[in-house]
């Protein structure tokens, strides 16, 4: 009887936990027709990103990418076929599960090369911690098209303890 109870407890205590983002998403390599979105997860996962033009005229899905321990559960996916100078909203999925975001995840593609346009830059540094970070809403309210984070984010691929 004791063995049966132990086995039952083991069965119910070993349920798999869902994979979560630990870093990102970060948008980069954006042009007039494409972008790349980087993330880091806490365990192996299948990553993909879905995005929609703000005006609702088009939807796009990235390729699927397996995040592995060898890659420190980091990876980036490309989305192509986008329209220039259009705002897109996007959602990150790990193993088919939508990852929650504290602010709307969005970016604007650049104008086509050789066409005039306005680009807004933002700068920051030293973002750390797991608590709520209201600074991201303040940054989003300024609507930068480009945001450069200088400082500690370079260690995000490290396996060294902080």
């Amino acid at each position: 009887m004791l063995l049966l109870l132990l086995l039952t407890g083991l069965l119910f205590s070993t349920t798999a936990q869902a994979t979560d983002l630990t870093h990102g998403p970060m948008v980069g390599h954006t042009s007039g027709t494409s972008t790349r979105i980087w993330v880091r997860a806490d365990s192996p996962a299948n990553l993909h990103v879905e995005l929609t033009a703000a005006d609702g005229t088009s939807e796009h899905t990235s390729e699927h990418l397996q995040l592995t321990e060898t890659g420190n559960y980091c990876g980036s996916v490309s989305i192509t076929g986008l329209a220039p100078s259009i705002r897109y909203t996007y959602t990150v999925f790990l193993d088919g599960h939508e990852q929650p975001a504290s602010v709307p995840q969005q970016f604007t593609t650049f104008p086509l090369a050789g066409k005039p346009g306005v680009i807004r830059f933002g700068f920051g540094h030293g973002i750390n911690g797991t608590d709520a970070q209201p600074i991201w809403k303040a940054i989003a309210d300024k609507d930068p098209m480009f945001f450069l984070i200088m400082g500690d984010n370079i260690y995000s691929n490290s396996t060294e303890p902080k």
Side-chain angles (χ1 to χ4, degrees):
M1 182 68 155
L2 181 60
L3 180 61
L4 181 60
L5 286 173
L6 286 172
L7 289 174
T8 303
L10 230 157
L11 176 69
F12 288 107
S13 68
T14 58
T15 57
Q17 289 187 319
T19 301
D20 293 314
L21 289 181
T22 61
H23 295 77
M26 291 188 201
V27 177
H29 301 284
T30 302
S31 71
T33 60
S34 66
T35 195
R36 181 170 280 277
I37 298 176
W38 176 92
V39 302
R40 182 180 189 196
D42 61 2
S43 59
N46 184 283
L47 163 69
H48 84 277
V49 175
E50 296 177 5
L51 55 86
T52 305
D55 62 6
T57 58
S58 64
E59 295 180 355
H60 303 268
T61 300
S62 73
E63 75 268 26
H64 286 249
L65 176 69
Q66 190 63 39
L67 304 178
T68 64
E69 184 176 15
T70 304
N72 208 14
Y73 312 123
C74 296
S76 61
V77 291
S78 295
I79 301 101
T80 60
L82 307 179
S85 302
I86 298 290
R87 179 172 300 264
Y88 289 90
T89 59
Y90 67 92
T91 305
V92 174
F93 292 85
L94 295 176
D95 293 331
H97 299 282
E98 181 177 337
Q99 298 299 294
S102 59
V103 296
Q105 301 298 295
Q106 55 190 2
F107 65 92
T108 302
T109 50
F110 286 84
L112 286 179
K115 300 289 183 184
V118 173
I119 299 174
R120 287 175 302 285
F121 288 86
F123 300 89
H125 69 88
I127 297 167
N128 193 7
T130 57
D131 296 332
Q133 297 176 341
I135 190 66
W136 293 111
K137 181 171 180 343
I139 292 166
D141 288 346
K142 297 294 182 184
D143 199 25
M145 294 179 72
F146 175 85
F147 189 78
L148 178 63
I149 301 174
M150 301 169 282
D152 292 343
N153 72 328
I154 63 169
Y155 304 110
S156 65
N157 290 335
S158 173
T159 58
E160 297 295 317
K162 292 185 178 188

